[in-house]
Amino acid sequence: MLSIFTLLLFGVAAVASIRRRSGWQIPLGLLLSAAGDAAGAMGWFVPQMGLFAAALGCYLCEMVPHIGRKRVRPAWPLAILLPLVAGLALLADHIEPIGEAVGVVLYALLLLSLVVAALLQQRPYRGWLLCAALLFLLSDALIGYTHYVAPLHSSKGWILLFYCTAQLLFALWSIAAPDKVPTKATSR
């Protein structure tokens, strides 16, 4: 059911991308997320994590070219980095297969990169990207905790809320943001 929601977002974002002749990264990220949703519904955690990592890579590819050189107060990256490092340390004690532990650490670094890239965006509606990245981080942090450490009461509802809102924000941003690649006039 969740993959249907993400597929619908993919369809809307893809149509908007084709109409505007803009980037393909956000729609592709939504498509990979839908595949990750399907893998998760089948209980395939590692393939699910791989598909979501590919989706995060697509979102990063959209954001990296628009990272600005503005100064960011050190408190922002630290406020994001410290809880993530503490959370990873907590998870590391509970992850048994070393390969899975490496995958989780790499995935967490990808998530952190996404949040930092969203924080440093220099274009309209960048707040939507930052909120989407932070919600994705919260959703995945809850998944990691409930998967490796202990189940939490009502965690599935919060995971779904954070995840669906993040994907919706990515899709809405790709529809509402002004053209991302301005055309330069060439002189002859």
Side-chain angles (χ1 to χ4, degrees), residues 103-135:
V104 168
V105 169
L106 292 174
Y107 185 85
L109 290 173
L110 194 57
L111 262 174
L112 176 63
S113 300
L114 181 74
V115 171
V116 171
L119 184 64
L120 298 174
Q121 290 297 288
Q122 293 292 304
R123 55 186 169 168
Y125 305 106
R126 63 184 174 261
W128 292 17
L129 293 173
L130 181 59
C131 286
L134 288 171
L135 287 168

Side-chain angles (χ1 to χ4, degrees), residues 19-129:
R19 274 190 70 213
R20 296 172 61 207
R21 295 187 177 123
S22 61
W24 52 268
Q25 293 92 339
I26 299 291
L28 182 58
L30 290 166
L31 183 61
L32 289 164
S33 292
D37 294 338
M42 291 184 242
W44 300 342
F45 185 74
V46 174
Q48 177 187 24
M49 188 170 54
L51 288 163
F52 280 121
L56 293 176
C58 289
Y59 298 151
L60 267 171
C61 285
E62 172 62 42
M63 290 186 208
V64 167
H66 302 282
I67 290 176
R69 297 188 189 274
K70 73 174 184 177
R71 293 183 53 86
V72 175
R73 294 180 187 183
W76 276 105
L78 285 177
I80 295 165
L81 180 62
L82 292 178
L84 185 63
V85 169
L88 272 175
L90 176 67
L91 286 179
D93 286 343
H94 295 86
I95 302 173
E96 282 303 315
I98 189 71
E100 199 167 317
V102 169
V104 168
V105 169
L106 292 174
Y107 185 85
L109 290 173
L110 194 57
L111 262 174
L112 176 63
S113 300
L114 181 74
V115 171
V116 171
L119 184 64
L120 298 174
Q121 290 297 288
Q122 293 292 304
R123 55 186 169 168
Y125 305 106
R126 63 184 174 261
W128 292 17
L129 293 173

